[in-house]
Structure formats: structure tokens, C-alpha cells
Amino acid sequence: MPVTDFFAVAPPAAQPLSRPFIKMQGLRNHFVFLDCRLHPVPSPADIIRICDVHAGVGAEQVITIEPPRAANAAAFMGIHNIDGTVAQACGNATRCLAWLLFDETGQEELLIDSLGGPLQCRKEGPWDVSVTLGPITTDWARVPLARAVDTQHLPLASGALTDGVALSIGNPHAVFFVDQEIDIPALAPGIARDPLFPESVNVGVARVVDATTLQLAVWERPGMLTQACGTGACVAAYAGRLRGLLRGSDFTVHLPGGTLRIRLLDDGRAVMSGPVAFCCTGYV
Ligand SMILES: N[C@H](CCC[C@H](N)C(=O)O)C(=O)O
């Protein structure tokens, strides 16, 4: 029985809440999945409650599985941040959603549609999934930025976070390369709320280990340090190669929650490969 059959299981009569959910995590970046092929997309207030571990099950994003909007897509993926706002891309959640759809359909390759565009997904192992995201761009208007600046050498700083690179892979990122320990919660908000970023920005802090390896941590929109950020890993590898700090096409990105493998394609897209894990089911 596919895990997603749970979405059709009625709650116990005494259950005060009626919405079935599946929770999964990718490198400890954790998500609540709701099937909106059967139920309406929840309100921002409900998203906030579900993400709040003191009021709901707790999650770093709520992912809504919606009917496909693009031809030959298995589903549309809605990405909802903890403040109820909508994001355009989420690498770790895409791997988890792909796993659920592989399990549901028996397929081992499929397309997921999203605001950031189509995402080709492939089952690499029982709990290992690759997703092709992008293309990545450093075009200021598409990050987006509020004005034209050199996106490869950003004119803003917050403490030791200087000389960053602005990119988009569907969602906005600013990547800073450092060679020292950084108090990210102290410094990253100064970047994220800078008026240069009209939609705010995910702030990646990267340290080069060698020509194909990074260490990375990301202060994600709307303002939280996550254990892993899939889109952040893709753009950090891209920015590192752009800066001449990395070489080749295949990279390893170590995040606090674990490691992702990133392959940069010639067309600007990135193939991100990594694990997924099942957490629990329940009702919210
Ligand atoms: N908070 C991000 C979305 C989730 C990105 C991250 N969880 C990933 O795995 O890519 C944003 O607002 O753009």
C-alpha cells in the first residue's frame, strides 16, 4: 500500500483536526506534506499553525501536492514557508515529494511542476533521489534585486559576510565565502532584510574545503537556520565555480544535516542527489 494512501484514511471520530498529513525530511530539513489533489490548499494561517511545533506538528515548510499544471508532470508542488508565504523552489522537499510519488506510482523517474519550473526527478536508490533544478541565473532582475548591481560582487556586507554572489534557482540566494567561523544568526538577517532584496533572500555561508568540496549553512527565508538547504547547495557550488574557488562539474556539499552531491550541467541546471527519510503520519 503506497504511503500516500494515508491521505484518504478518515480521522478517528474523536479527532478534533481533520487533515491527514505525511511528514518527511531530507538531511533534517523537515516538511509536512498535504494532499491538495483531495483537499483545498490550506490558508496561510493554517500553514503557520502547522509549522509551529508549539501549536502543530512542526515543519520548516508545508508542501502541498496539487494537480499538475504542466503537461506530463506527475503533480504540482506548492512550497509554503513557516510564515505562510509561498516559495518558488525547495530542493530537499522535492526529493521527498518525488519519493512519495515514486512509491505511489511505481515509477522511478517523473516530472514535478513548481513555481520555479519543471523538476526532473530520478530514484537513485531505496531512499536516495536526484532532482534537476534551475537553470541558475545571476541576472539581477531575475534573482530578483531592487536595482542593477554586479551580482558576482554584491555591494553590501554584514560583519564578515562580504563580497557575496546573488543568484536564483527559482528562489533567491546570496552566497558568501568565508574562511572562519561565522555567527550566522547574528549576521545573516542583516543581509536578508537589505532593501536590495525585494523578496528577501536565502543567505548561504560557504567554506571551501577543496576544489570540489564545500561546507555550507543557510539562513533560509523567512529567517531560520536550517540543517540543510538543497537549492542553497546548488547555487553555492555554482557561485564557487564562478569565483574560481571550485573546479569541474561534480561537487560535494557538506551541510550540518548531511551531504549532498551536486552536478552542474552545461545549460546552467544543477542535479542535486541525496537521501530522504520518512518521519510520521497524522492529522492536523
Ligand atoms: N525557504 C526557502 C525555500 C526552501 C528552500 C530549502 N529548504 C531547500 O531545500 O532548497 C525560500 O524561501 O526560498
Side-chain angles (χ1 to χ4, degrees):
M1 174 182 122
V3 175
T4 50
D5 281 6
F6 180 77
F7 285 132
V9 175
Q15 174 73 24
L17 302 167
S18 62
R19 189 107 199 208
F21 75 83
I22 294 171
K23 184 163 184 182
M24 292 188 74
Q25 56 95 359
L27 299 186
R28 301 170 64 81
N29 188 201
H30 51 102
F31 315 100
V32 160
F33 290 83
L34 299 175
D35 194 337
C36 297
R37 298 170 295 186
L38 302 172
H39 307 277
V41 173
S43 66
D46 268 344
I47 298 285
I48 292 168
R49 175 181 57 79
I50 292 167
C51 291
D52 179 352
V53 72
H54 302 290
V57 66
E60 291 173 332
Q61 275 94 33
V62 169
I63 305 300
T64 50
I65 309 171
E66 302 176 34
R69 303 180 188 178
N72 64 45
F76 176 86
M77 170 184 183
I79 303 162
H80 309 266
N81 278 332
I82 62 170
D83 62 349
T85 58
V86 171
Q88 302 85 349
C90 180
N92 289 319
T94 307
R95 294 201 314 280
C96 294
L97 176 54
W99 187 93
L100 288 172
L101 295 173
F102 295 146
D103 180 58
E104 182 180 274
T105 63
Q107 293 174 247
E108 300 210 343
E109 281 200 59
L110 50 80
L111 199 72
I112 292 175
D113 194 10
S114 71
L115 288 180
L119 303 161
Q120 188 63 40
C121 307
R122 179 190 172 94
K123 188 169 188 175
E124 303 293 347
W127 296 95
D128 198 82
V129 180
S130 67
V131 178
T132 303
L133 300 110
I136 297 167
T137 179
T138 55
D139 173 352
W140 71 272
R142 293 174 56 200
V143 171
L145 302 184
R147 65 185 189 279
V149 298
D150 179 355
T151 51
Q152 296 190 32
H153 296 282
L154 288 173
L156 80 165
S158 178
L161 299 182
T162 61
D163 193 28
V165 183
L167 318 95
S168 172
I169 186 170
N171 58 347
H173 290 265
V175 180
F176 294 84
F177 292 95
V178 299
D179 53 14
Q180 59 187 306
E181 280 301 313
I182 296 288
D183 183 351
I184 297 175
L187 297 181
I191 301 290
R193 59 172 173 260
D194 192 286
L196 183 62
F197 303 104
E199 296 178 9
S200 186
V201 71
N202 298 289
V203 182
V205 180
R207 191 173 70 80
V208 177
V209 175
D210 61 35
T212 61
T213 309
L214 289 177
Q215 270 187 333
L216 175 72
V218 181
W219 180 260
E220 284 195 30
R221 291 189 306 182
M224 58 186 187
L225 189 60
T226 56
Q227 290 281 297
C229 180
T231 52
C234 295
V235 296
Y238 187 95
R241 190 172 68 176
L242 208 56
R243 276 281 178 82
L245 303 171
L246 299 176
R247 276 198 313 277
S249 301
D250 292 296
F251 305 100
T252 300
V253 180
H254 298 301
L255 300 117
T259 298
L260 289 172
R261 308 180 303 277
I262 307 296
R263 167 166 295 178
L264 297 181
L265 304 179
D266 293 342
D267 63 4
R269 292 184 301 162
V271 183
M272 169 203 60
S273 305
V276 302
F278 177 77
C279 296
C280 60
T281 57
Y283 297 91
V284 288

